[in-house]
C-alpha cells in the first residue's frame, strides 16, 4: 500500500470521495477557472505563470508560461491541448495518484490551459492501465459538465470547452510527447526529430499543440488563485514551488510526498521514505528515476531542484527517487534497468536499438561471470557512441545508467570479472526493485 503524506499544496486533504465536486468547490475549487472564463485575458494568465516560474514536472523542467505563450501566439489558429498522463517510468507514480485523488484540480488546470492557448480540441492522454484513476477522472468530468463548468456554453459564456480521455495503450516511449501525439493519430508511438517537430509548432494533426504533464497542470489553478508570490514562497529562485516525489526501492515507506523544491535528497529519503529498512545503509540513489545518473551516499545533501541536480551531473526528471541498499549487487541492478531500456526502445533509431541491446548483453555477460576486463572499456565506449543520439533521450538514459554505475561501482564489475561469478549473496529480482501501483 502506498503511503501518502499531505503537508502542503497539491495533496491537500479532501473530504468524501475524491471525485466529489462539492468538497472541491467549497475550498475555492474552479474559482480560477471562473475568473479565466470571465476575463478572457490569456496574456494575464501567461504572465502570472511566468512570474510564478512554474517549470514542467514531466521531466524536462521547461518553463510552463513560455510554452503556453508560444502556442497562444502561434499564427496558426487551429490548435490542440493534450495533458500527458502516460507515466510509464519505473518508480514514478505521482500522476496517477493526483488523477485518482484530486481529479477536479487537474480538470480545472486543463480547462485553463486549453482556453488560454485557444485549443479547439483537448485531450487527457491517460495510461489505460490506470483503471482507478480513469474511473475517478471520468466521474469528476461528468460532475463538472453537470455544473456547467465543462462542455457546451461553459459558465454561460457562450464558449464550448470539453475534455476527452484518450486511452493510451502505452509504453515508456509513448510518454515522450511527440511519440504520444503520433500514437494518438493511429501511428506507432515513435518520437519525431526535434527540431523541427516541436509540438508547439507541429503537434496533433500537424498543428500547434500544448502538451503538459499532470502535475504541472495541477499547480496552475493554485497559482492563479493564490498568486505567483505565494507559489514562490517555497522552493528555490529558479525552481520555485513544491514537487511530488515518488519514493521507492529500499525505504520503509514508499509513497508520494510533496515537498518544496530544493529539499535535500537526505530529507526526502529519511523524513518521507522513513529511511532504509532492516538496519541497512544506502548504496546508491537515482534522484530522478532510471534515466538520470545515480549518486552515492556522499551526495545525499544535494538539493532536489532542476539546476542543482543538473550541475551535479544527474537530473530531477519527474522526481522518481529510487533508493538502492547495500545488499544489492549493482551489476545485477544495472542489468535489470538495462533490460528495461532495451525492451522499451521503440527501435526506430539504430543507435538506440543496437546500443541498448549491446549494453544489456555486455552487462548480462559480466553478471553471469563470463565478462572480461575489456568488456568494461567496451561498455564505456558504447556509452560514448550512443549518448545524445536518437530522436528522444531513451538511449542517453541507458548510457548514463551504465556510466554512473561504472563510475561509482567499477570495483563490483571488476569483482565479477575476477571471480567469474556474481560475488554477492543478495541479488534483486529480474525487474528493478521499485514500487509501481
Ligand atoms: C522516454 C520519455 C518518456 C516520457 N514520459 C513522460 C510521461 O509519462 N509523462 C510526462 O508528462 N512526460 C513524459 N516525458 C516528457 C514529455 O516528452 C514532455 O516533456 C512533457 O510531457 C511536457 O510536459 P511539462 O512541460 O509539463 O513537463 C517523457 C520523455 C521521454 C524522453
Amino acid at each position: 500500500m502506498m503511503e501518502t503524506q499531505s503537508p502542503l499544496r497539491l495533496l491537500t486533504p479532501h473530504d468524501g470521495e475524491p471525485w466529489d465536486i462539492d468538497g472541491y468547490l467549497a475550498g475555492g475549487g474552479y474559482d480560477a477557472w471562473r475568473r479565466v472564463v470571465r476575463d478572457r485575458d490569456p496574456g494575464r494568465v501567461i504572465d502570472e505563470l511566468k512570474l510564478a516560474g512554474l517549470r514542467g514536472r514531466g521531466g524536462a523542467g521547461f518553463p510552463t508560461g513560455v510554452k503556453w505563450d508560444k502556442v497562444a501566439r502561434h499564427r496558426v489558429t487551429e490548435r490542440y491541448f493534450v495533458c500527458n498522463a502516460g507515466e510509464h517510468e519505473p518508480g514514478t507514480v505521482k500522476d496517477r495518484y493526483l488523477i485518482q485523488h484530486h481529479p477536479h484540480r487537474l480538470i480545472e488546470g486543463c480547462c485553463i490551459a486549453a482556453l488560454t492557448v485557444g485549443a479547439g480540441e483537448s485531450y487527457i492522454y491517460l495510461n489505460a492501465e490506470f483503471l482507478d484513476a480513469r474511473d475517478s477522472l471520468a466521474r469528476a468530468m461528468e460532475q463538472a459538465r453537470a455544473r456547467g463548468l465543462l462542455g457546451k456554453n461553459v459558465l454561460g459564456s457562450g464558449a464550448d470547452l470539453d475534455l476527452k480521455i484518450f486511452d493510451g495503450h502505452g509504453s515508456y516511449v509513448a510518454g515522450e510527447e511527440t511519440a504520444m501525439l503520433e500514437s494518438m493519430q493511429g501511428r506507432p508511438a515513435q518520437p519525431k526529430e526535434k527540431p523541427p517537430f516541436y509540438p508547439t509548432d507541429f503537434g496533433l494533426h500537424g498543428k500547434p499543440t500544448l502538451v503538459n504533464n499532470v502535475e504541472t497542470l495541477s499547480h496552475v489553478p493554485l497559482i492563479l488563485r493564490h498568486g505567483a508570490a505565494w507559489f514562490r514562497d517555497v522552493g528555490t529562485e529558479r525552481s520555485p514551488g513544491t514537487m511530488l516525489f515518488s519514493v521507492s526501492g529500499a525505504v520503509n515507506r514508499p509513497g508520494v510526498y510533496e515537498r518544496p523544491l530544493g529539499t535535500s535528497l537526505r530529507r526526502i529519503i529519511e523524513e518521507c521514505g522513513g529511511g532504509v529498512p532492516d538496519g541497512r545503509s544506502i548504496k546508491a540513489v537515482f534522484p530522478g528515476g532510471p534515466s538520470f545518473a545515480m549518486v552515492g551516499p556522499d551526495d545525499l545533501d544535494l538539493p532536489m531542484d532542476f539546476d542543482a541536480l543538473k550541475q551535479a551531473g544527474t537530473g530531477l526528471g519527474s522526481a522518481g527517487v529510487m533508493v538502492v541498499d547495500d545488499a544489492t549487487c549493482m551489476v545485477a541492478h544495472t542489468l535489470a534497468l538495462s533490460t528495461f531500456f532495451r525492451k522499451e526502445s521503440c527501435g526506430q533509431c539504430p543507435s538506440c536499438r543496437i546500443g541498448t541491446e549491446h549494453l544489456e548483453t555486455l552487462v548480462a555477460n559480466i553478471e553471469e561471470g563470463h565478462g572480461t576486463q575489456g568488456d568494461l572499456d567496451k561498455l564505456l565506449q558504447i556509452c560514448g557512441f550512443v549518448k545524445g543520439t536518437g530522436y528522444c533521450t531513451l538511449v542517453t538514459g541507458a548510457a548514463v545508467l551504465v556510466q554512473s554505475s561504472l563510475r561509482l561501482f567499477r570495483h563490483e564489475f571488476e569483482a565479477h570479472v575476477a571471480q567469474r561469478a556474481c560475488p554477492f549473496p543478495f541479488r534483486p529480482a529480474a525487474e528493478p526493485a521499485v514500487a509501481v501501483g
Side-chain angles (χ1 to χ4, degrees), residues 81-414:
F81 162 72
V82 183
C83 164
N84 187 346
E87 198 173 59
H88 202 277
E89 182 164 278
T92 306
V93 293
K94 67 185 178 88
D95 290 342
R96 73 200 74 173
Y97 184 86
L98 275 180
I99 300 167
Q100 186 175 341
H101 296 276
H102 301 275
H104 282 293
R105 193 171 293 126
L106 174 64
I107 292 169
E108 188 178 5
C110 289
C111 288
I112 294 168
L115 192 70
T116 301
V117 301
E121 284 180 32
S122 302
Y123 298 90
I124 297 177
Y125 175 91
L126 181 64
N127 185 326
E129 288 165 18
F130 303 165
L131 297 179
D132 291 341
R134 192 186 199 289
D135 219 30
S136 189
L137 180 63
R139 287 188 203 216
M141 280 165 59
E142 271 314 307
Q143 287 189 332
R145 284 190 198 104
R147 304 287 176 110
L149 292 156
L150 191 63
K152 292 224 170 296
N153 188 19
V154 169
L155 294 166
S157 66
D160 298 341
L161 198 149
D162 212 344
L163 301 169
K164 295 188 196 103
I165 298 177
F166 188 99
D167 289 309
H169 293 270
S171 56
Y172 180 41
V173 172
E176 194 276 340
E177 55 192 0
T178 59
M180 175 186 75
L181 297 174
E182 284 294 284
S183 76
M184 289 177 74
Q185 295 168 88
R187 297 194 281 268
Q190 294 180 330
K192 290 182 81 84
E193 188 176 17
K194 296 173 282 293
F197 298 114
Y198 292 110
T200 44
D201 285 316
F202 190 95
L204 213 51
H205 311 301
K207 305 296 179 194
T209 302
L210 176 69
V211 178
N212 274 129
N213 168 260
V214 170
E215 184 187 341
T216 313
L217 292 158
S218 299
H219 280 288
V220 169
L222 292 167
I223 291 171
L224 296 187
R225 191 177 335 145
H226 299 291
W230 168 87
F231 184 73
R232 285 190 161 278
D233 206 33
V234 298
T236 69
E237 175 63 26
R238 286 179 38 83
S239 297
T242 61
M243 187 147 179
L244 298 190
F245 294 91
S246 308
V247 185
S248 70
V251 288
N252 282 304
R253 290 195 302 267
V256 179
Y257 298 90
E258 184 175 12
R259 287 289 181 275
L261 281 161
T263 302
S264 75
L265 181 54
R266 187 186 303 282
R267 288 184 68 178
I268 301 286
I269 296 168
E270 287 177 3
E271 289 175 18
C272 302
V276 179
D278 305 325
R280 296 214 161 269
S281 58
I282 293 173
K283 191 173 201 176
V285 186
F286 293 84
S291 295
F292 291 95
M294 64 182 110
V295 299
D298 293 343
D299 287 323
L300 297 185
D301 291 315
L302 274 174
M304 295 290 280
D305 72 66
F306 292 105
D307 305 306
L309 289 185
K310 193 171 175 195
Q311 261 171 25
T314 176
L316 185 57
S318 50
V321 178
M322 295 161 54
V323 182
V324 183
D325 72 17
D326 60 353
T328 306
C329 167
M330 289 314 294
V331 180
H333 198 75
T334 305
L335 174 58
L337 287 170
S338 297
T339 301
F340 166 78
F341 284 118
R342 193 263 304 152
K343 281 188 186 162
E344 294 294 336
S345 170
C346 75
Q348 175 184 215
C349 306
S351 62
C352 181
R353 187 176 65 242
I354 299 166
T356 53
E357 265 177 33
H358 275 194
L359 291 174
E360 183 198 23
T361 305
L362 282 169
V363 178
N365 274 347
I366 296 167
E367 170 59 15
E368 288 158 14
H370 312 306
T372 65
Q373 195 65 28
D375 286 342
L376 307 192
D377 298 332
K378 235 185 253 171
L379 275 174
L380 289 177
Q381 204 179 17
I382 295 169
C383 291
F385 283 147
V386 299
K387 216 170 141 183
T389 66
Y391 289 168
C392 79
T393 53
L394 188 132
V395 72
T396 298
V400 162
L401 161 75
V402 171
Q403 282 178 327
S404 68
S405 193
L406 270 167
R407 183 171 51 80
L408 293 168
F409 304 104
R410 191 176 175 103
H411 54 284
E412 291 196 17
F413 284 77
E414 285 173 345

Side-chain angles (χ1 to χ4, degrees), residues 61-99:
F62 190 82
T64 306
V66 174
K67 198 194 276 188
W68 288 31
D69 205 12
K70 190 142 197 274
V71 180
R73 288 173 188 271
H74 208 286
R75 61 187 162 73
V76 176
T77 53
E78 184 186 338
R79 302 171 196 151
Y80 295 89
F81 162 72
V82 183
C83 164
N84 187 346
E87 198 173 59
H88 202 277
E89 182 164 278
T92 306
V93 293
K94 67 185 178 88
D95 290 342
R96 73 200 74 173
Y97 184 86
L98 275 180
I99 300 167

